[in-house]
């Protein structure tokens, strides 16, 4: 099977080089700071003064070091969205006999996404002059490999059971089977940013509420459905909107600056447009005579709604 590749591998390599360069710069900065600390001016020499920028950078790093936290644990992605009907965009030939010429909606059908459990991490920083009541958080996870799925009648009913007109004015069965549930897969990088408010910061139990945004970035799409791949693999397109995020959770304090965390994020307010293009299917009764059934492309709009459930351990730095 062929895949639609994105430049993610090259980006990852550049990111790795950037991280390595950053580590070298940090080591160089540390060595330079150590040398400056050990420096003693000789008689007659003027002592070296720290610049304002170095002072600001040092204060910033000190603040981050003493006002940040991290969490690591299990994350569950659960999809609850709905979809428009599957829409045949440009059926021609035999497909036009089955679906009608041009565009047509397939009633009681739709598309969806699968669910997944994986690792998730959160990095947080308390905002200055808020008494640790306000913080900004970013949630990270490994690339999520999710199933792209059908819903409704598309799962277990043929979308084109008949075509043409028989000798007696009837229709001829096509023999095209149902699509089944899974059409293919895609990968997602779902970074999300939230601003979190904690009403209590010194209690053993610290509930919080937050709001923010998530970029629904998808890549590496793959159509692996046997019905759709009868005459080669179609292409799968998914749009990449920005979604809104609502957050509820609580920290439970543990000894040694550690804590247990329960977190729930609702992700919504976004429509993801999908399109499977270059679809050619096999009709056991018609293809031996007429060849492949050229469906063209099928599209839908997913009203994205998902919940991220997390259980993790954290530490205040």
């Amino acid at each position: 099977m062929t895949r639609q590749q994105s430049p993610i591998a090259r980006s990852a390599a550049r990111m790795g080089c950037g991280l390595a360069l950053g580590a070298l710069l940090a080591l160089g900065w540390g060595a330079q700071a150590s040398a400056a600390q050990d420096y003693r001016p000789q008689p007659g020499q003027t002592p070296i003064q720290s610049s304002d920028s170095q002072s600001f950078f040092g204060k910033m790093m000190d603040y981050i070091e003493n006002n940040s936290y991290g969490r690591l644990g299990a994350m569950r992605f659960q999809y609850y969205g709905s979809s428009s009907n599957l829409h045949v965009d440009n059926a021609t030939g035999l497909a036009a006999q089955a679906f009608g010429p041009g565009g047509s909606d397939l009633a009681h059908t739709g598309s969806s996404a699968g669910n997944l459990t994986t690792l998730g991490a959160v990095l947080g920083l308390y905002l200055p002059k808020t008494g640790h009541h306000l913080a900004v958080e970013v949630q990270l996870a490994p690339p999520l490999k999710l199933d792209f799925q059908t819903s409704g009648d598309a799962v277990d009913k043929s979308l084109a059971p008949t075509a043409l007109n028989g000798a007696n004015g009837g229709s001829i069965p096509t023999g095209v089977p149902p699509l089944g549930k899974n059409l293919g897969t895609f990968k997602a990088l779902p970074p999300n940013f939230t601003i979190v408010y904690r009403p209590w910061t010194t209690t053993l139990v610290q509930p919080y509420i937050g709001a923010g945004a998530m970029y629904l970035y998808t890549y590496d799409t793959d159509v692996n459905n046997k019905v759709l791949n009868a005459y080669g693999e179609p292409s799968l397109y998914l749009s990449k909107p920005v979604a809104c995020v609502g957050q509820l959770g609580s920290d439970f304090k543990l000894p040694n600056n550690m804590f247990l965390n329960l977190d729930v994020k609702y992700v919504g307010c976004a429509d993801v447009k999908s399109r499977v293009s270059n679809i050619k299917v096999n009709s056991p009764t018609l293809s031996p005579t007429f060849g492949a059934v050229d469906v063209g492309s099928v599209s839908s709009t997913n009203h994205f709604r998902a919940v991220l459930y997390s259980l993790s351990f954290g530490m205040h730095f």
Side-chain angles (χ1 to χ4, degrees):
M1 292 184 294
T2 60
R3 290 176 180 268
Q4 291 185 6
Q5 298 290 343
S6 87
I8 191 70
R10 296 192 298 272
S11 298
R14 288 196 294 267
M15 183 179 295
C17 292
L19 290 174
L21 179 59
L24 290 175
L25 289 174
L27 290 174
W29 190 290
Q32 193 174 33
S34 177
Q37 186 176 13
D38 294 337
Y39 171 79
R40 296 292 184 271
Q42 299 297 320
Q45 288 184 331
T46 302
I48 298 176
Q49 302 294 329
S50 297
S51 67
D52 291 340
S53 61
Q54 289 175 325
S55 176
F56 174 78
F57 181 81
K59 290 179 181 179
M60 181 180 66
M61 295 305 296
D62 286 341
Y63 183 85
I64 293 175
E65 182 178 354
N66 293 291
N67 293 275
S68 58
Y69 57 91
R71 304 195 298 262
L72 179 65
M75 182 184 75
R76 173 71 176 177
F77 174 90
Q78 192 78 30
Y79 187 73
Y80 295 101
S82 59
S83 167
S84 65
N85 287 330
L86 298 180
H87 180 81
V88 179
D89 298 320
N90 49 357
T92 60
L94 290 176
Q97 297 293 330
F99 299 115
S104 60
D105 279 342
L106 305 179
H108 311 298
T109 64
S111 59
S112 184
N115 307 312
L116 182 69
T117 300
T118 185
L119 287 176
V122 169
L123 296 176
L125 177 67
Y126 295 110
L127 297 180
K129 300 181 180 180
T130 64
H132 284 193
H133 289 288
L134 283 178
V136 59
E137 293 186 352
V138 56
Q139 184 170 34
L140 303 171
L144 308 181
K145 186 174 183 179
L146 300 170
D147 291 323
F148 182 69
Q149 300 176 333
T150 60
S151 61
D153 288 350
V155 176
D156 51 15
K157 294 182 180 179
S158 174
L159 299 182
T162 60
L164 302 177
N165 291 321
N168 298 323
S171 297
I172 300 175
T174 63
V176 176
L179 292 176
K181 189 165 187 175
N182 290 331
L183 292 182
T185 61
F186 63 94
K187 291 181 180 178
L189 286 176
N192 63 80
F193 301 86
T194 54
I195 295 178
V196 176
Y197 172 71
R198 291 175 172 83
W200 303 284
T201 61
T202 59
T203 55
L204 292 177
V205 179
Q206 300 177 12
Y208 58 82
I209 187 171
M214 174 186 287
Y215 178 40
L216 301 177
Y217 178 75
T218 56
Y219 66 101
D220 200 11
T221 58
D222 177 29
V223 178
N224 53 23
N225 182 276
K226 292 182 179 179
V227 177
L228 300 182
N229 289 26
Y231 290 92
E233 183 178 343
S235 60
L236 169 61
Y237 162 80
L238 298 171
S239 64
K240 302 172 177 62
V242 175
C244 59
V245 178
Q247 181 179 11
L248 287 173
S250 183
D251 296 333
F252 303 88
K253 291 183 68 175
L254 298 173
N256 300 320
N257 290 329
M258 300 187 70
F259 60 93
L260 178 68
N261 175 267
L262 295 174
D263 186 270
V264 177
K265 290 186 177 74
Y266 169 82
V267 185
C269 310
D271 287 340
V272 178
K273 299 183 183 299
S274 62
R275 179 180 293 107
V276 181
S277 303
N278 304 317
I279 301 174
K280 295 182 180 181
V281 300
N282 178 60
S283 167
T285 58
L286 300 175
S287 291
T289 303
F290 298 100
V293 180
D294 189 356
V295 179
S297 61
V298 176
S299 59
S300 65
T301 298
N302 292 83
H303 309 301
F304 191 93
R305 291 190 297 272
V307 178
L308 303 177
Y309 303 94
S310 298
L311 172 62
S312 56
F313 283 99
M315 174 175 287
H316 293 280
F317 302 114

